[in-house]
Amino acid sequence: MQIDHILTPQRTFAGVQGGSKKRMLELIGKMVAQHSHLDPDNIYQNLIAREKLGSTGFGNGIAIPHCRLEDCHKPVGALFQLQSKIDFDALDGEPVDLIFVLLVPQEATDQHLQILKMLAEKLDQTRLREALRSAEDADELYRIITATDPGN
């Protein structure tokens, strides 16, 4: 699956004020809900529940918060470039400034894991992370993340 199958320009955000992990997850719920049919409180509650199982702070300043949602019918992604780093309880202890959110249908177990693997591999590329961090706006951020897809 390619990134542009789950991410839209409308769900790509640059220069976001994060504050704290909890505040960021709440903001994610609100911002994703504005550009999808999903409920902001449902997104937030499910992301918080997932974080309680273990941090989705991947390392290298990246977090990939994800969860399954009952009212989600296809995978939904959102990309956030933060204005300043926030503590996300990442595995490497480093603060986070790039967040890729993945919301999937309740029953999408295999697909969910495949997409997470693809995102982790993509965001593990140093040059890609640097380009995402230096993007001037959401349009550039979207172009960078989707241009690295095979065939694009």
Side-chain angles (χ1 to χ4, degrees), residues 9-70:
Q10 296 78 22
R11 288 193 309 268
T12 305
F13 307 96
V16 176
Q17 281 281 16
S20 68
K21 180 178 180 177
K22 183 177 178 186
R23 171 76 184 106
M24 191 63 218
L25 293 173
E26 188 177 1
L27 188 60
I28 286 168
K30 290 177 183 173
M31 293 174 82
V32 171
Q34 289 176 358
H35 302 283
S36 71
H37 70 283
L38 301 171
D39 176 71
D41 292 329
N42 195 23
I43 295 169
Y44 171 70
Q45 294 299 331
N46 280 279
L47 287 174
I48 285 286
R50 170 57 189 85
E51 287 299 319
K52 287 180 180 174
L53 299 176
S55 176
T56 57
F58 175 74
N60 294 313
I62 304 288
I64 310 176
H66 56 278
C67 64
R68 296 185 196 141
L69 295 173
E70 285 186 25

Side-chain angles (χ1 to χ4, degrees), residues 48-93:
I48 285 286
R50 170 57 189 85
E51 287 299 319
K52 287 180 180 174
L53 299 176
S55 176
T56 57
F58 175 74
N60 294 313
I62 304 288
I64 310 176
H66 56 278
C67 64
R68 296 185 196 141
L69 295 173
E70 285 186 25
D71 58 345
C72 185
H73 305 294
K74 64 179 185 170
V76 172
L79 177 61
F80 294 81
Q81 173 208 60
L82 304 186
Q83 203 169 65
S84 55
K85 295 182 178 208
I86 62 171
D87 181 17
F88 216 86
D89 304 313
L91 300 173
D92 63 359

